[in-house]
Amino acid sequence: MQTLNVSSNPHMRSNFSTSTIMLDVIIALIPASIVGIYNFGIRALFIIAACIIACVLSELIFEKIMKQKNTIGDLSAVVTGLILALNLSVNVPIWQCVAGSIFAMIIVKALFGGLGQNFINPALAARAFMVLAFAGPMTNFVTDTFTGATPLTLVKNAGLESVSGALADGGYTLSDMFFGTCAGTIGETSVVALLIGAVYLLIRKVISFKIPVIYIVTVVIFMAIYSLAARGGLDMEFLAAQICGGGLIFGAFFCATDYVTTPITPKGTIIFAILLGVLTSVFRLFGNSAEGVSFSILIGNLLVPLIEKITVPKFFGEGAVKK
């Protein structure tokens, strides 16, 4: 007699598995990885390899010690390592990359039950940990090719001055921000490379356009209001710099869409995306950092249970007045 595992509905059939979804994400991140290696040299490749290997080994060793099923075949550890690496400066020492990878896989993921149980994005949590623990290397973007600050930092430091003038001080233009020939983390600089990967994920139906588009549009609206109020008009260069810089495209399409740490209710995804856009804008305009994406997504992750609680649809007849 065959034993059937009966669980609560809905029951869905799909050709997608965890490994195929993760493989699609890896493929989608290849263009950004190639641009990062081209811009920052062979050291960028070493950092990517170190993070991936450290994440995979951390998961494998933990599962061996705890006598758990081997899950490295689902490729989630590879994706975590790749996303973490692409969020790092090329100046971060390899041992710090390994430390961040171990933090992501053990502290954030494994100790909370593994894949599907982590309450925040492991890669972004590791990045936040590294920003606090290794602030110097994490915020140092000076290389042989790029000797100045990141474009968005230049714009922030320039205040209400011309955006093109601020970028020119660092030797950049808006087109540099779009194509990726500028300082930044390994994987965030090239908007065109990230959009190629995003389109691939959308075509494959791995992600939905809802969260990324609402997230980005919210940032644009918030920044447009600020531009009208503080800059004396709608500064299109300022808006373009905010979209292309600071890892907004990377975070919107590859981090904010994480299945585990985003709401599953329709209204919840809208609230979540708007929240990310508002937080990112506030951090960028009024905080010390010009970026804000990583911390916005992490805060959003923490608020997902509350968002789902207030947006979950009611059962038919629930709340009806009894006669």
Side-chain angles (χ1 to χ4, degrees):
M1 180 181 294
Q2 184 179 5
T3 302
L4 298 179
N5 181 18
V6 180
S7 60
S8 60
N9 62 346
H11 304 286
M12 301 176 64
R13 291 182 179 271
S14 173
N15 292 326
F16 289 107
S17 64
T18 301
S19 58
T20 58
I21 291 173
M22 295 301 169
L23 180 59
D24 280 333
V25 175
I26 294 169
I27 293 172
L29 287 171
I30 288 176
S33 302
I34 292 174
V35 172
I37 295 169
Y38 175 81
N39 280 341
F40 302 109
I42 192 67
R43 180 168 174 77
L45 178 60
F46 291 156
I47 289 177
I48 293 173
C51 287
I52 291 175
I53 292 172
C55 282
V56 172
L57 289 180
S58 296
E59 184 170 73
L60 178 62
I61 293 172
F62 180 87
E63 290 172 345
K64 286 284 187 182
I65 293 174
M66 302 302 295
K67 297 181 180 179
Q68 296 177 351
K69 180 182 177 182
N70 186 329
T71 59
I72 60 173
D74 63 20
L75 300 179
S76 62
V78 176
V79 170
T80 298
L82 181 56
I83 291 177
L84 173 59
L86 296 181
N87 272 284
L88 299 180
S89 164
V90 74
N91 294 311
V92 178
I94 297 298
W95 73 268
Q96 292 179 5
C97 299
V98 173
S101 301
I102 294 173
F103 181 89
M105 298 306 300
I106 303 300
I107 304 299
V108 182
K109 184 179 177 184
L111 292 182
F112 285 90
L115 181 65
Q117 304 299 319
N118 51 283
F119 62 99
I120 55 177
N121 186 293
L124 294 188
R127 184 181 187 276
F129 160 75
M130 294 175 71
V131 168
L132 296 175
F134 317 118
M138 287 292 293
T139 56
N140 178 15
F141 299 102
V142 177
T143 64
D144 293 337
T145 306
F146 309 110
T147 57
T150 63
L152 205 57
T153 300
L154 293 171
V155 172
K156 181 178 178 64
N157 292 340
L160 301 179
E161 297 179 13
S162 167
V163 171
S164 57
L167 293 176
D169 290 339
Y172 305 127
T173 63
L174 283 172
S175 64
D176 291 329
M177 296 182 69
F178 184 76
F179 290 104
T181 52
C182 57
T185 64
I186 295 172
E188 76 172 6
T189 57
S190 178
V191 173
V192 63
L194 291 169
L195 288 178
I196 290 172
V199 170
Y200 173 80
L201 291 180
L202 289 169
I203 292 174
R204 291 281 295 163
K205 297 183 179 180
V206 173
I207 64 172
S208 168
F209 71 91
K210 183 184 292 186
I211 289 178
V213 170
I214 296 176
Y215 182 5
I216 295 170
V217 169
T218 302
V219 171
V220 170
I221 293 173
F222 199 106
M223 292 299 180
I225 295 172
Y226 171 80
S227 178
L228 290 170
R231 301 180 72 88
L234 192 59
D235 190 337
M236 300 306 295
E237 287 187 339
F238 176 74
L239 297 182
Q242 294 297 330
I243 295 172
C244 295
L248 178 61
I249 302 299
F250 188 100
F253 285 98
F254 294 96
C255 300
T257 54
D258 177 30
Y259 291 172
V260 180
T261 56
T262 55
I264 59 174
T265 60
K267 292 181 180 178
T269 57
I270 296 174
I271 295 173
F272 178 76
I274 293 174
L275 173 67
L276 298 187
V278 172
L279 287 175
T280 299
S281 301
V282 170
F283 288 152
R284 286 186 174 187
L285 292 176
F286 308 110
N288 293 326
S289 173
E291 189 250 335
V293 172
S294 297
F295 288 100
S296 298
I297 295 175
L298 290 174
I299 294 173
N301 293 161
L302 293 173
L303 293 176
V304 164
L306 176 61
I307 293 173
E308 291 187 331
K309 183 177 181 180
I310 63 177
T311 59
V312 63
K314 291 184 178 181
F315 295 109
F316 179 76
E318 182 181 358
V321 178
K322 293 183 179 180
K323 294 184 179 180

